Amino acid sequence: MTNLIEIKTPDLGEFENVPIIEIFVQVGDVIATDDPLVAIESDKATMEIPASHSGVIKEMKIAVGDAISSGQVLLVVESRGTSVTKKVADEIADEVAVTKEVAPKTAKGNGDKHAALVVLGSGPGGYTAAFRAADLGLDVILIERHENLGGVCLNVGCIPSKALLHVAKVVTDAADAKAIGLDFAPPTVDLKQTLKWKNGIVNQLTQGLAGLAKKRKVTVIHGLGQFISPNRIEVASNSGAETVSFEQAIIAAGSQPIEIPGFPHADPRLLDSTSALALDDIPERLLIVGGGIIGLEMATVYHALGSKISVVEMLAGLMAGADADLVRPLQKRIKHQYENIWLKTKVTQMKALKNGIKVSFEGDQAPENETFGKVLVSVGRTPNGNRINAQAAGVSVSEHGFIAVNDQQQTNIPHIFAIGDIVGQPMLAHKAVHEGKVAAEVAAGLNSGFDARVIPSVAYTDPEVAWVGVTEAEAKAQGLDYGKGVFPWAASGRSLSQGRRDGVTKLLFDNHTHRIIGAGITGSNAGELIAEATLAIEMNADAADIGLSIHAHPTLAETLGLAAEAFEGTITDLYLPKKK
């Protein structure tokens, strides 16, 4: 027996007349208990109000912008009782569909659930693909192994690490302020509060994705998905296993940290890029194995929070892939901050002891062995291609777990697509996003293809390092006839006024056409500044286009215009000998 139930605003405590910033549902939607209904924002926090009942929404009592208080009616649902389960809500949804005589968008498959498109993995690439496909009219099921949407990036990667890097920046800026006459006492770090703040950011973003999925009517299934045939995936969770059948699928299963055999991985003091973000405690001494982007970012965090940092790298330089002159300002800074930086050195053995992890080294610069409170192994990531049983669907997977695709993101099985880390380098979230849109559009019947000329890379260290297009090392190796314009930030009024001079902007140009082919920036907010160079390359801009574009003064962005002028020989902010 059904009845009409008013869903009201719960007790908001001290808050009254809080504005609604987003509504996730509408009349006719079927909701389950605890589904998010609206988002409200006070001057102190943003929160979502969940449903206290399930059923079919019959009437909306609020709109975006309305101010609500405790006990106010939000909407009216036709319900079978209070606080009923998701199963009952699904039954109601089936009845509504029959009553309205709405035919399903796809024929029923031979799985427990069926959809025109299934997306395996809900990282930035996966959720983008699912949402774009839903916007184009496909019914979509999104499978995610984590408890929340967002994949590695939002849950245990890009977002939480950048939150902690902001913490590090605040600490570092306070310490650096002594040079300008501001002497702050050393900070007292409350790790519990720091983690609460970091987790709050993650929760806000992941819950926002849940709301977007609901608004688009994307069905979300949590569990570990593996293919069992070319048109079925089995999803295993704590509540059991279910099969999902599909007409098309997009693999967005990402990657995971590489584990080096023989290391004591069972010891919680041996960290990877995920466990390092948990910030259980700050060790007195921390060894970073691998001098790449992720390792150096985490070194930035732990150094600011009080650890003595050592970095060991097998190669002759840090941050492989970036030009040495871009890395030099960073290396010069951290050389004085960190306990050790050992290059051309490798770790030969680790042994877990009561007082720490004893590490043995091999190399000219390193000692025979040292003991550290914790060790972070950050030597790269490996794709999950061999962990999803893709072979059962006929999808070809390389020995290392990569899946080859064409420019429409199709695998060797045309109705199965793949995107993101699993299709190859660079393993970057922003690449996956664009690949996800392409896959979704092709699945929906549009003529789309992945045709990015360049993909930017950013290290959020201090200072930041960013580059895009052809590096100077690559230009030399390829024998390109190139020229460059370089502007040192020691001549930037904006950088000096921020108390920093350790930056550089470098632009590479084709000597014949003067078109920009590459760029590198080191300094504060380099990750933001690289966007202009990326667009310039995509638009085939030449040095004059960049140099004659009026940049605001004083800004860090004007260093791009000045670097272009340096190449053209028109710069007045530096004195450069005339080209012969």
Side-chain angles (χ1 to χ4, degrees):
M1 181 176 181
T2 61
N3 60 308
L4 296 180
I5 298 291
E6 291 182 339
I7 295 183
K8 300 179 181 180
T9 308
D11 183 8
L12 299 178
E14 62 181 289
F15 300 108
E16 293 294 328
N17 298 317
V18 184
I20 295 173
I21 60 172
E22 190 171 5
I23 297 177
F24 304 127
V25 295
Q26 59 187 351
V27 172
D29 283 356
V30 179
I31 60 172
T33 305
D34 294 329
D35 278 354
L37 301 177
V38 301
I40 59 176
E41 185 174 53
S42 71
D43 58 347
K44 295 183 178 180
T46 299
M47 64 177 290
E48 294 179 355
I49 295 178
S52 56
H53 300 72
S54 63
V56 182
I57 297 177
K58 292 298 183 181
E59 185 179 358
M60 301 292 297
K61 297 286 190 179
I62 39 86
V64 172
D66 287 354
I68 61 173
S69 301
S70 301
Q72 184 171 334
V73 177
L74 301 175
L75 50 88
V76 178
V77 299
E78 185 178 57
S79 176
R80 293 185 174 182
T82 60
S83 300
V84 296
T85 64
K86 176 68 175 172
K87 181 178 179 181
V88 174
D90 289 340
E91 292 174 358
I92 298 173
D94 292 339
E95 291 181 7
V96 171
V98 172
T99 302
K100 293 183 178 180
E101 296 182 354
V102 177
K105 294 181 181 179
T106 59
K108 176 67 177 175
N110 57 352
D112 298 318
K113 290 185 174 69
H114 181 83
L117 178 70
V118 166
V119 180
L120 182 59
S122 75
Y127 74 69
T128 296
F131 294 171
R132 179 63 176 140
D135 290 345
L136 291 171
L138 297 181
D139 61 316
V140 180
I141 290 177
L142 180 58
I143 300 171
E144 170 55 49
R145 64 187 176 96
H146 286 96
E147 182 180 353
N148 297 313
L149 296 182
V152 168
C153 180
L154 266 69
N155 287 282
V156 290
C158 320
I159 301 303
S161 67
K162 303 311 168 285
L164 294 179
L165 282 162
H166 174 68
V167 174
K169 178 173 170 44
V170 172
V171 173
T172 302
D173 285 351
D176 290 347
K178 189 172 184 178
I180 61 175
L182 300 175
D183 195 357
F184 297 97
T188 300
V189 180
D190 183 344
L191 281 183
K192 289 185 178 179
Q193 180 59 33
T194 298
L195 286 174
K196 181 180 179 181
W197 174 77
K198 181 259 291 184
N199 293 337
I201 294 171
V202 172
N203 185 64
Q204 181 176 346
L205 290 171
T206 56
Q207 291 305 308
L209 289 180
L212 290 174
K214 183 171 181 60
K215 291 180 75 170
R216 286 179 164 90
K217 295 181 170 54
V218 171
T219 300
V220 177
I221 300 176
H222 293 280
L224 183 63
Q226 291 187 315
F227 286 90
I228 55 176
S229 78
N231 289 90
R232 285 191 302 157
I233 290 175
E234 183 177 79
V235 183
S237 66
N238 292 334
S239 58
E242 61 180 325
T243 58
V244 178
S245 55
F246 56 85
E247 296 174 17
Q248 298 182 96
I250 298 175
I251 300 171
S255 61
Q256 64 181 24
I258 292 174
E259 286 192 358
I260 300 178
F263 286 6
H265 295 286
D267 193 309
R269 295 171 297 179
L270 185 61
L271 308 174
D272 60 20
S273 57
T274 297
S275 57
L277 294 170
L279 227 63
D280 294 327
D281 58 62
I282 305 301
E284 181 180 352
R285 300 187 74 206
L286 174 67
L287 174 67
I288 308 287
V289 181
I293 290 177
I294 295 176
L296 291 175
E297 287 181 350
M298 294 314 301
T300 301
V301 171
Y302 275 84
H303 166 73
L305 295 178
S307 287
K308 296 178 181 178
I309 303 295
S310 293
V311 178
V312 57
E313 168 58 51
M314 290 182 61
L315 301 178
L318 300 175
M319 208 175 294
D323 283 331
D325 57 342
L326 297 179
V327 181
R328 195 171 297 120
L330 168 66
Q331 190 163 341
K332 182 179 179 180
R333 180 175 173 85
I334 63 177
K335 181 180 180 181
H336 299 291
Q337 295 177 333
Y338 295 174
E339 193 172 25
N340 300 290
I341 299 177
W342 296 308
L343 302 177
K344 293 190 288 186
T345 303
K346 66 178 181 179
V347 173
T348 57
Q349 187 180 27
M350 287 191 194
K351 186 175 181 180
L353 304 176
K354 185 176 181 180
N355 64 332
I357 296 180
K358 183 179 179 181
V359 182
S360 300
F361 302 92
E362 182 178 283
D364 296 337
Q365 300 182 14
E368 183 177 347
N369 54 67
E370 291 272 350
T371 301
F372 301 89
K374 287 188 177 182
V375 176
L376 167 59
V377 178
S378 180
V379 293
R381 300 183 65 85
T382 180
N384 289 327
N386 288 317
R387 295 178 175 86
I388 57 173
N389 199 31
Q391 296 87 340
V395 175
S396 297
V397 183
S398 76
E399 178 184 355
H400 298 292
F402 290 107
I403 296 176
V405 295
N406 61 18
D407 60 5
Q408 294 188 311
Q409 303 303 135
Q410 290 171 305
T411 68
N412 61 301
I413 305 299
H415 71 276
I416 299 179
F417 304 78
I419 64 172
D421 290 2
I422 215 163
V423 304
Q425 299 288 354
M427 291 184 174
L428 298 170
H430 41 280
K431 176 189 76 118
V433 166
H434 286 268
E435 291 173 337
K437 286 185 177 180
V438 169
E441 289 166 358
V442 174
L446 300 183
N447 184 19
S448 185
F450 186 74
D451 189 29
R453 294 187 62 187
V454 291
I455 301 169
S457 296
V458 181
Y460 298 90
T461 46
D462 180 23
E464 293 183 1
V465 182
W467 64 98
V468 67
V470 178
T471 66
E472 189 167 6
E474 290 170 341
K476 290 177 179 178
Q478 296 171 24
L480 301 181
D481 185 7
Y482 75 95
K484 65 181 177 180
V486 178
F487 188 82
W489 285 22
S492 164
R494 179 61 171 164
S495 184
L496 291 175
S497 68
Q498 293 178 331
R500 299 294 289 267
R501 55 186 294 125
D502 53 352
V504 62
T505 296
K506 176 175 70 172
L507 304 182
L508 303 183
F509 300 92
D510 182 295
N511 271 333
H512 297 287
T513 64
H514 285 202
R515 287 179 176 172
I516 182 172
I517 59 173
I521 306 174
T522 299
S524 301
N525 295 306
E528 311 293 336
L529 300 175
I530 202 67
E532 179 179 338
T534 304
L535 180 61
I537 296 173
E538 287 284 354
M539 299 300 291
N540 277 324
D542 60 24
D545 292 326
I546 300 169
L548 293 175
S549 296
I550 298 177
H551 294 75
H553 174 79
T555 61
L556 299 176
E558 69 181 329
T559 64
L560 283 96
L562 293 167
E565 289 181 358
F567 170 77
E568 291 279 272
T570 61
I571 190 169
T572 56
D573 285 59
L574 297 175
Y575 176 74
L576 300 177
K578 292 185 178 180
K579 296 180 181 179
K580 295 181 180 180

